[in-house]
Amino acid sequence: MSPAAGYLLRRLVGGLCLLVAASSCAYLLCAAVLDPRGNYQAMSPPPPPEAVARMLAENNLDPGAPLAERYLVWASGAVTGDLGRTWDGREVSEELVLRAGASLRLLAAGAVAGAVGGVAAGAWAGARGGRWDTAAAAGAALLVSVPPIVVALVLQALAIALNQAAGGVLLPAVGEPDAEAPPGERAAHMILPTLALALPLAAVFSRYQRALMAEEAGSDYVRTARAKGLRRGTALRRHALRSCLVPTAAYFAYTTAALFTGAVFAEKVFGRHGAGEMLIDAIEAGDANAAAAVCVFGALCVTVAGFAADAVRAALDPRVRA
């Protein structure tokens, strides 16, 4: 086995162990604090207490049952892909599968746009320095300090104002089209939620990449490359940027959890029926099974993103392949 393959195998095993630990903690926390009994009491007429107790027990949602016992029931099903049932008897796995596609499309688009845009802006600002560097740092600091939900609401308000000024819908500000809608319409509905995710992520990557690029721009190997006849921009792209991308790739894995949190707010603001909306609805309903399922989905996304970052590092960093 090559050193790179061994490195990736170790990282994969470690990621799977973290996935199991994170999923277990998510379920235990949800089961300990969420109580779905209020949903039955809000029915008209409300079912008798005996019926409520029976339905809670059948769905493994009875807050009175021992937490360890409920966890073992949930974990034994989760191993086979059965994440339990919601408080009203729907299969959680089926509900999550229906919603995961919308979330994955949004997460992938936001991650790519944010990472590529942030790295490009940070590398450009760090290489140029001066007032451009100051302006880029100020803009990144502003975006980092604003909560993701505020970014989404501001983008939505700007889109509504633009549509009103144009007398038509140029940028859809809420909702998502049907599955049979033309690709152009579906892409238009993706613009605002993708920006809501990409802008804060790009700000974080921009600040990180800017500092790395500014440090590498004055390194000895860049000066050597320039002494051999390369222009400054060419030397930075060929040598400094490649070195900067190695720690940036590792940093990407740590931003995935924040990206998933931002997707929860973006889906709710822009009316997209994804896993984020499912999580908020599950918490409001006190549904531990549904809330834990979305947390497992988020942990899986973080694990996959971490392994992808490790693969990029293995491809870029010669020390991993040695």
Side-chain angles (χ1 to χ4, degrees):
M1 181 181 294
S2 66
Y7 166 79
L8 290 176
L9 180 60
R10 291 192 300 272
R11 299 296 294 178
L12 177 60
V13 172
L16 292 176
C17 292
L18 288 176
L19 173 61
V20 172
S23 301
S24 299
C25 290
Y27 176 80
L28 291 172
L29 287 172
C30 292
V33 301
L34 297 180
D35 186 350
R37 283 178 292 193
N39 299 298
Y40 302 104
Q41 296 171 358
M43 292 180 176
S44 182
E50 297 79 8
V52 171
R54 185 181 66 256
M55 287 184 286
L56 289 174
E58 289 174 352
N59 297 328
N60 194 36
L61 290 170
D62 185 4
L67 183 59
E69 179 182 316
R70 285 183 282 157
Y71 169 74
L72 290 176
V73 173
W74 177 84
S76 61
V79 171
T80 62
D82 182 6
L83 296 173
R85 288 177 298 209
T86 63
W87 70 270
D88 53 355
R90 292 174 289 116
E91 291 291 336
V92 173
S93 299
E94 295 179 1
E95 182 77 11
L96 183 60
V97 168
L98 291 175
R99 293 172 175 265
S103 294
L104 287 175
R105 288 191 294 271
L106 180 57
L107 286 168
V112 172
V116 173
V119 168
W124 178 79
R128 292 182 65 90
R131 60 182 182 179
W132 294 108
D133 186 18
T134 303
L142 177 62
L143 281 173
V144 169
S145 62
V146 176
I149 190 171
V150 175
V151 175
L153 290 172
V154 168
L155 289 173
Q156 187 181 60
L158 291 175
I160 292 174
L162 175 63
N163 294 336
Q164 291 176 345
V169 179
L170 297 180
L171 277 178
V174 68
E176 56 182 332
D178 298 330
E180 296 79 12
E185 182 180 350
R186 300 181 68 180
H189 280 81
M190 284 286 293
I191 293 175
L192 289 180
T194 299
L195 281 176
L197 287 188
L199 288 177
L201 183 65
V204 173
F205 271 98
S206 174
R207 288 171 63 88
Y208 190 69
Q209 190 71 24
R210 166 183 161 269
L212 292 172
M213 197 67 176
E215 181 179 351
E216 294 293 332
S219 61
D220 293 338
Y221 64 87
V222 172
R223 288 196 295 268
T224 301
R226 293 195 64 192
K228 292 181 179 180
L230 288 180
R231 299 178 60 183
R232 184 173 185 272
T234 305
L236 290 176
R237 286 193 301 271
R238 290 185 181 178
H239 301 285
L241 183 58
R242 183 183 180 90
S243 299
C244 292
L245 288 177
V246 174
T248 302
Y251 186 68
F252 176 76
Y254 298 101
T255 64
T256 309
L259 186 69
F260 186 82
T261 303
V264 172
F265 295 121
E267 288 180 6
K268 200 64 176 178
V269 170
F270 295 106
R272 299 188 63 84
H273 306 302
E277 184 187 57
M278 179 179 174
L279 175 61
I280 294 178
D281 293 343
I283 293 175
E284 291 177 348
D287 195 329
N289 289 339
V294 180
C295 293
V296 172
F297 171 69
L300 179 61
C301 291
V302 172
T303 302
V304 172
F307 184 75
D310 292 332
V312 172
R313 182 184 177 188
L316 295 176
D317 193 346
R319 294 172 296 182
V320 176
R321 302 190 301 271

